[in-house]
Amino acid sequence: MSHADRILMGPGPGNPYPEVIEAFGRPVLGHLDPDFIALLDETNDRLRQVFRTDNPLTFPVSATGSAGMEATFVNVLGPGDTVVVGVNGAFGERMCDVAARCGAEVVRVEAPWGAAINPQALLEAHPNPKVIAIVHAETSTGVRNDIEPLGVDKGDALLLVDCVTSLGGIPLEIDGWGVDLAYSGTQKCLGVPPGLSPVTVSQAAIDRFVDRSQSWYLDFAMIANYVTGGGARAYHHTAPISMIYGLHAGLGVLLEEGLENSQARHQACGDQLQDGLVKRGFELFAQEGHRLPELTSVVVPEDRLPDGLDEAGVRRRLLDEFGIEIGGGLGPVAGQVWRIGCMGHTARPRNVTMLLGALDEILG
Ligand SMILES: *Cc1c(COP(=O)(O)O)cnc(C)c1O
């Protein structure tokens, strides 16, 4: 089956919108060309609309979502600073690793994989942290962590949120919830291939930047002039022109559909998939009430695997015979769960119908 026919229902990337692929073919401009600067400004305006923020410092970091994580941490955390991190999956773990490499003291607040973090536990974990960090949509487990209560009671702490799999897919209010630093990725619910990490930073966070970020490339203070500097832009690094065309186009599709309509489409597909799986006797993995529509985690039905086929074999048959990709489990749940994405352009009822039919065919 041709690669063009693939339905990407893994934990990401989802399928890109056709308009995005078209945008990659546009002539490349120089990164200081006034026409490109105008397009970058418009991209950042679109990002502000999608993040639901007025933060002037809102732009795509020139690398994938993990670079947004690293950038947000390294600009506000250095040796001697304390960060409280919610850990209920692989990406909360990654935050701890990044924070420790900044030299920060890391206070972990854990919940089992598949469960949500208790916001109160996060707020009470340390009397005076510089940063409270949490993943909004834990792609490794399919769990949504609550953000809003953290903004209400964060006190002097900066609230740092991983929005890689939530932006565009589920409700998110950067300003309304008091989020100070957030990063996302292009390849999850935004319908753009991987390659950029949209970030947004509040004035309160800018006021508390470390003096000299340990990363040269990701130093927001140095990048700020190029991404938000008004008329005269200073070179920091060459903007990835074609990726920004793609993001600009993807955000255009999203805003034309309407942010709420896009979220409703993700929710409808997640509901259709999760209802379909439950009807077939499958057990959903994520805690009820905290299930993400854009990433469904389901316990591998060991007793229903065909003779001679393990869970990876089922996923391989989905790919080879139906052109559908789904994801396996990570870390402690490797081999025990499947992770099924309905993200961006992939979040369509017909894709869900096709996957459920294919599972019926393979599992009988
Ligand atoms: C995918 C993902 C990341 C990492 O993004 P990359 O683009 O793979 O670097 C970080 N956090 C979450 C929650 C993710 O789903």
Side-chain angles (χ1 to χ4, degrees):
M1 197 169 302
S2 139
H3 287 176
D5 293 326
R6 282 273 204 276
I7 304 174
L8 301 179
M9 302 185 82
N15 289 95
Y17 296 113
E19 291 87 339
V20 170
I21 300 304
E22 235 171 79
F24 280 115
R26 287 167 52 179
V28 173
L29 293 173
H31 66 283
L32 296 173
D33 186 310
D35 291 346
F36 177 71
I37 293 290
L39 182 129
L40 176 62
D41 287 346
E42 194 168 84
T43 303
N44 295 342
D45 275 339
R46 290 178 179 185
L47 281 177
R48 277 182 277 271
Q49 291 179 58
V50 175
F51 270 126
R52 308 265 301 150
T53 184
D54 292 330
N55 288 336
L57 190 54
T58 301
F59 71 99
V61 168
S62 306
T64 66
S66 304
M69 181 189 293
E70 185 134 10
T72 49
F73 277 82
V74 81
N75 280 283
V76 293
L77 289 173
D81 293 325
T82 301
V83 56
V84 173
V85 183
V87 184
N88 58 339
F91 295 103
E93 277 299 345
R94 187 174 297 183
M95 280 181 159
C96 294
D97 191 354
V98 170
R101 288 169 192 236
C102 295
E105 187 205 329
V106 180
V107 179
R108 297 164 61 99
V109 173
E110 301 190 30
W113 283 50
I117 298 281
N118 173 358
Q120 216 49 43
L122 213 58
L123 290 164
E124 290 167 3
H126 189 277
N128 187 27
K130 182 170 183 185
V131 175
I132 298 173
I134 189 162
V135 178
H136 188 200
E138 229 330 327
T139 322
S140 61
T141 62
V143 165
R144 176 184 48 76
N145 287 315
D146 289 329
I147 307 303
E148 201 170 0
L150 300 173
V152 173
D153 287 322
K154 67 182 176 178
D156 292 333
L158 298 170
L159 179 56
L160 193 168
V161 181
D162 177 318
C163 304
V164 175
T165 294
S166 61
L167 188 67
I170 57 173
L172 167 68
E173 300 283 340
I174 293 298
D175 289 357
W177 294 350
V179 177
D180 293 294
L181 300 118
Y183 57 90
S184 188
T186 42
Q187 75 271 28
K188 307 281 169 74
C189 299
L190 296 182
V192 178
L196 293 175
S197 178
V199 298
T200 186
V201 185
S202 73
Q203 188 58 48
I206 293 173
D207 292 344
R208 297 180 72 188
F209 276 174
V210 293
D211 281 341
R212 195 159 181 272
S213 150
Q214 288 181 31
S215 169
W216 181 91
Y217 192 74
L218 300 173
D219 184 337
F220 285 160
M222 292 172 74
I223 300 171
N225 174 273
Y226 176 72
V227 292
T228 65
R233 305 298 176 97
Y235 165 75
H236 175 262
H237 66 271
T238 309
I241 309 294
S242 302
M243 265 312 297
I244 291 172
Y245 288 160
L247 176 59
H248 178 266
L251 294 169
V253 173
L254 174 56
L255 291 169
E256 193 163 322
E257 178 181 17
L259 187 53
E260 287 178 6
N261 292 336
S262 170
Q263 291 164 359
R265 174 165 58 82
H266 283 84
Q267 187 66 52
C269 283
D271 288 347
Q272 182 193 347
L273 175 60
Q274 290 169 20
D275 290 350
L277 290 169
V278 167
K279 261 194 207 120
R280 286 164 174 76
F282 291 75
E283 183 192 343
L284 299 178
F285 178 68
Q287 179 184 338
E288 200 170 358
H290 289 267
R291 289 177 185 148
L292 295 169
E294 69 274 38
L295 195 286
T296 295
S297 55
V298 58
V299 177
V300 171
E302 284 295 340
D303 51 333
R304 287 163 67 171
L305 300 182
D307 279 347
L309 216 57
D310 60 5
E311 68 83 19
V314 172
R315 288 189 284 120
R316 186 62 202 248
R317 275 189 63 187
L318 280 171
L319 192 64
D320 290 345
E321 294 171 29
F322 299 91
I324 301 174
E325 178 191 65
I326 67 167
L330 285 180
V333 293
Q336 295 168 33
V337 302
W338 286 326
R339 293 179 302 146
I340 306 170
C342 290
M343 300 180 185
H345 186 47
T346 310
R348 309 281 169 197
R350 67 168 185 176
N351 291 335
V352 175
T353 303
M354 189 121 62
L355 171 65
L356 290 171
L359 281 174
D360 287 342
E361 192 133 326
I362 295 171
L363 300 178

